Amino acid sequence: LTGLPNRRSYDNVLAQRISDATAGGPRDCVLIRVDLDHFKHVNDTLGHEAGDLVLQRVADVLRAELRVGDFAARIGGDEFSIILAPGQSGGHAREVIERMQARLSEPLWFEGRQCRFGASFGVAETEDIAAMGSEIQLFADAALYRAKEGGRNRMEFFTPELHQNILFDRKLAVEIQEGLDRGEF
């Protein structure tokens, strides 16, 4: 539908990026997660053909704004992932996202009605993808969820505070499960 690679291709590209870094290649990595805002509303009110048009618009914007070496994929439904080429920074990610937001805010019409949607972005970056591995995905997701909680149609970057929240949530989940196993509730 979008002409973008799928989740399997994305998984392979990320794994290769990690493998290359482990073998002495570029170690830095910037990952951007994108989730559409109000996409279900478009499908529910205008139909799935309108939803398909939205997905195609997003794919077109991603292709137009990314550079050689960047990789974008539709990883499912209305979710996309972007792995920037080595040597890019969070500042570059911010510029790319701002351009995407501007393009996505341009009106999109379907059968005389405007498709109203936005996109939230979560960004995680590391200087050493070999050490961080696939956990960078959790960090980008945490930033994305923060963007959605903060009002949608915005971007958030993964921070040490978000990392502490993830660690706390993991610890709490283990403690609750252990308490359940011991009949402490």
PDB file of all heavy atoms in Angstrom, residues 140-153:
ATOM      1  N   ALA A 140      12.840   4.650  22.026  1.00  0.00           N
ATOM      2  CA  ALA A 140      12.083   5.461  21.063  1.00  0.00           C
ATOM      3  C   ALA A 140      10.585   5.350  21.342  1.00  0.00           C
ATOM      4  O   ALA A 140       9.855   6.338  21.250  1.00  0.00           O
ATOM      5  CB  ALA A 140      12.413   5.039  19.630  1.00  0.00           C
ATOM      6  N   ASP A 141      10.131   4.153  21.694  1.00  0.00           N
ATOM      7  CA  ASP A 141       8.715   3.967  22.032  1.00  0.00           C
ATOM      8  C   ASP A 141       8.329   4.771  23.263  1.00  0.00           C
ATOM      9  O   ASP A 141       7.258   5.374  23.316  1.00  0.00           O
ATOM     10  CB  ASP A 141       8.390   2.487  22.272  1.00  0.00           C
ATOM     11  CG  ASP A 141       8.301   1.691  20.986  1.00  0.00           C
ATOM     12  OD1 ASP A 141       8.111   2.290  19.909  1.00  0.00           O
ATOM     13  OD2 ASP A 141       8.428   0.452  21.066  1.00  0.00           O
ATOM     14  N   ALA A 142       9.196   4.786  24.276  1.00  0.00           N
ATOM     15  CA  ALA A 142       8.917   5.557  25.488  1.00  0.00           C
ATOM     16  C   ALA A 142       8.786   7.039  25.157  1.00  0.00           C
ATOM     17  O   ALA A 142       7.885   7.725  25.659  1.00  0.00           O
ATOM     18  CB  ALA A 142      10.009   5.336  26.527  1.00  0.00           C
ATOM     19  N   ALA A 143       9.662   7.535  24.295  1.00  0.00           N
ATOM     20  CA  ALA A 143       9.574   8.935  23.877  1.00  0.00           C
ATOM     21  C   ALA A 143       8.293   9.182  23.086  1.00  0.00           C
ATOM     22  O   ALA A 143       7.629  10.211  23.265  1.00  0.00           O
ATOM     23  CB  ALA A 143      10.808   9.308  23.056  1.00  0.00           C
ATOM     24  N   LEU A 144       7.919   8.235  22.240  1.00  0.00           N
ATOM     25  CA  LEU A 144       6.682   8.362  21.464  1.00  0.00           C
ATOM     26  C   LEU A 144       5.465   8.427  22.383  1.00  0.00           C
ATOM     27  O   LEU A 144       4.579   9.266  22.212  1.00  0.00           O
ATOM     28  CB  LEU A 144       6.553   7.194  20.487  1.00  0.00           C
ATOM     29  CG  LEU A 144       5.249   7.109  19.702  1.00  0.00           C
ATOM     30  CD1 LEU A 144       5.068   8.324  18.799  1.00  0.00           C
ATOM     31  CD2 LEU A 144       5.214   5.820  18.878  1.00  0.00           C
ATOM     32  N   TYR A 145       5.418   7.552  23.383  1.00  0.00           N
ATOM     33  CA  TYR A 145       4.278   7.563  24.302  1.00  0.00           C
ATOM     34  C   TYR A 145       4.222   8.866  25.086  1.00  0.00           C
ATOM     35  O   TYR A 145       3.148   9.395  25.352  1.00  0.00           O
ATOM     36  CB  TYR A 145       4.310   6.353  25.237  1.00  0.00           C
ATOM     37  CG  TYR A 145       4.160   5.054  24.487  1.00  0.00           C
ATOM     38  CD1 TYR A 145       5.019   3.979  24.724  1.00  0.00           C
ATOM     39  CD2 TYR A 145       3.192   4.894  23.501  1.00  0.00           C
ATOM     40  CE1 TYR A 145       4.894   2.799  24.015  1.00  0.00           C
ATOM     41  CE2 TYR A 145       3.069   3.712  22.783  1.00  0.00           C
ATOM     42  CZ  TYR A 145       3.922   2.669  23.043  1.00  0.00           C
ATOM     43  OH  TYR A 145       3.810   1.504  22.340  1.00  0.00           O
ATOM     44  N   ARG A 146       5.372   9.406  25.424  1.00  0.00           N
ATOM     45  CA  ARG A 146       5.412  10.700  26.103  1.00  0.00           C
ATOM     46  C   ARG A 146       4.850  11.786  25.184  1.00  0.00           C
ATOM     47  O   ARG A 146       4.121  12.672  25.625  1.00  0.00           O
ATOM     48  CB  ARG A 146       6.843  11.010  26.527  1.00  0.00           C
ATOM     49  CG  ARG A 146       7.123  12.400  27.015  1.00  0.00           C
ATOM     50  CD  ARG A 146       6.668  12.732  28.433  1.00  0.00           C
ATOM     51  NE  ARG A 146       7.100  11.914  29.509  1.00  0.00           N
ATOM     52  CZ  ARG A 146       8.177  12.126  30.268  1.00  0.00           C
ATOM     53  NH1 ARG A 146       8.978  13.119  30.024  1.00  0.00           N
ATOM     54  NH2 ARG A 146       8.433  11.319  31.272  1.00  0.00           N
ATOM     55  N   ALA A 147       5.183  11.732  23.898  1.00  0.00           N
ATOM     56  CA  ALA A 147       4.655  12.711  22.938  1.00  0.00           C
ATOM     57  C   ALA A 147       3.135  12.613  22.863  1.00  0.00           C
ATOM     58  O   ALA A 147       2.428  13.623  22.862  1.00  0.00           O
ATOM     59  CB  ALA A 147       5.277  12.501  21.556  1.00  0.00           C
ATOM     60  N   LYS A 148       2.621  11.394  22.832  1.00  0.00           N
ATOM     61  CA  LYS A 148       1.170  11.206  22.754  1.00  0.00           C
ATOM     62  C   LYS A 148       0.495  11.712  24.029  1.00  0.00           C
ATOM     63  O   LYS A 148      -0.533  12.374  23.964  1.00  0.00           O
ATOM     64  CB  LYS A 148       0.839   9.741  22.520  1.00  0.00           C
ATOM     65  CG  LYS A 148       1.211   9.277  21.131  1.00  0.00           C
ATOM     66  CD  LYS A 148       0.081   8.473  20.572  1.00  0.00           C
ATOM     67  CE  LYS A 148       0.317   8.096  19.151  1.00  0.00           C
ATOM     68  NZ  LYS A 148      -0.559   8.810  18.241  1.00  0.00           N
ATOM     69  N   GLU A 149       1.074  11.389  25.170  1.00  0.00           N
ATOM     70  CA  GLU A 149       0.510  11.848  26.441  1.00  0.00           C
ATOM     71  C   GLU A 149       0.566  13.363  26.569  1.00  0.00           C
ATOM     72  O   GLU A 149      -0.277  13.957  27.230  1.00  0.00           O
ATOM     73  CB  GLU A 149       1.278  11.224  27.613  1.00  0.00           C
ATOM     74  CG  GLU A 149       1.042   9.750  27.783  1.00  0.00           C
ATOM     75  CD  GLU A 149       1.958   9.129  28.824  1.00  0.00           C
ATOM     76  OE1 GLU A 149       2.840   9.834  29.368  1.00  0.00           O
ATOM     77  OE2 GLU A 149       1.804   7.926  29.081  1.00  0.00           O
ATOM     78  N   GLY A 150       1.539  13.979  25.920  1.00  0.00           N
ATOM     79  CA  GLY A 150       1.731  15.424  26.017  1.00  0.00           C
ATOM     80  C   GLY A 150       0.854  16.232  25.089  1.00  0.00           C
ATOM     81  O   GLY A 150       0.992  17.450  25.026  1.00  0.00           O
ATOM     82  N   GLY A 151      -0.015  15.580  24.353  1.00  0.00           N
ATOM     83  CA  GLY A 151      -0.941  16.324  23.518  1.00  0.00           C
ATOM     84  C   GLY A 151      -0.958  15.936  22.060  1.00  0.00           C
ATOM     85  O   GLY A 151      -1.677  16.525  21.274  1.00  0.00           O
ATOM     86  N   ARG A 152      -0.153  14.988  21.675  1.00  0.00           N
ATOM     87  CA  ARG A 152      -0.124  14.478  20.303  1.00  0.00           C
ATOM     88  C   ARG A 152       0.399  15.520  19.322  1.00  0.00           C
ATOM     89  O   ARG A 152       0.569  16.670  19.653  1.00  0.00           O
ATOM     90  CB  ARG A 152      -1.494  13.960  19.867  1.00  0.00           C
ATOM     91  CG  ARG A 152      -1.979  12.824  20.726  1.00  0.00           C
ATOM     92  CD  ARG A 152      -3.373  12.381  20.297  1.00  0.00           C
ATOM     93  NE  ARG A 152      -3.862  11.376  21.223  1.00  0.00           N
ATOM     94  CZ  ARG A 152      -3.889  10.089  20.945  1.00  0.00           C
ATOM     95  NH1 ARG A 152      -3.479   9.642  19.793  1.00  0.00           N
ATOM     96  NH2 ARG A 152      -4.343   9.234  21.828  1.00  0.00           N
ATOM     97  N   ASN A 153       0.652  15.036  18.106  1.00  0.00           N
ATOM     98  CA  ASN A 153       1.158  15.876  17.013  1.00  0.00           C
ATOM     99  C   ASN A 153       2.401  16.658  17.452  1.00  0.00           C
ATOM    100  O   ASN A 153       2.524  17.849  17.208  1.00  0.00           O
ATOM    101  CB  ASN A 153       0.075  16.819  16.488  1.00  0.00           C
ATOM    102  CG  ASN A 153       0.386  17.271  15.079  1.00  0.00           C
ATOM    103  OD1 ASN A 153       0.983  16.541  14.301  1.00  0.00           O
ATOM    104  ND2 ASN A 153       0.000  18.481  14.762  1.00  0.00           N
TER     105      ASN A 153
END
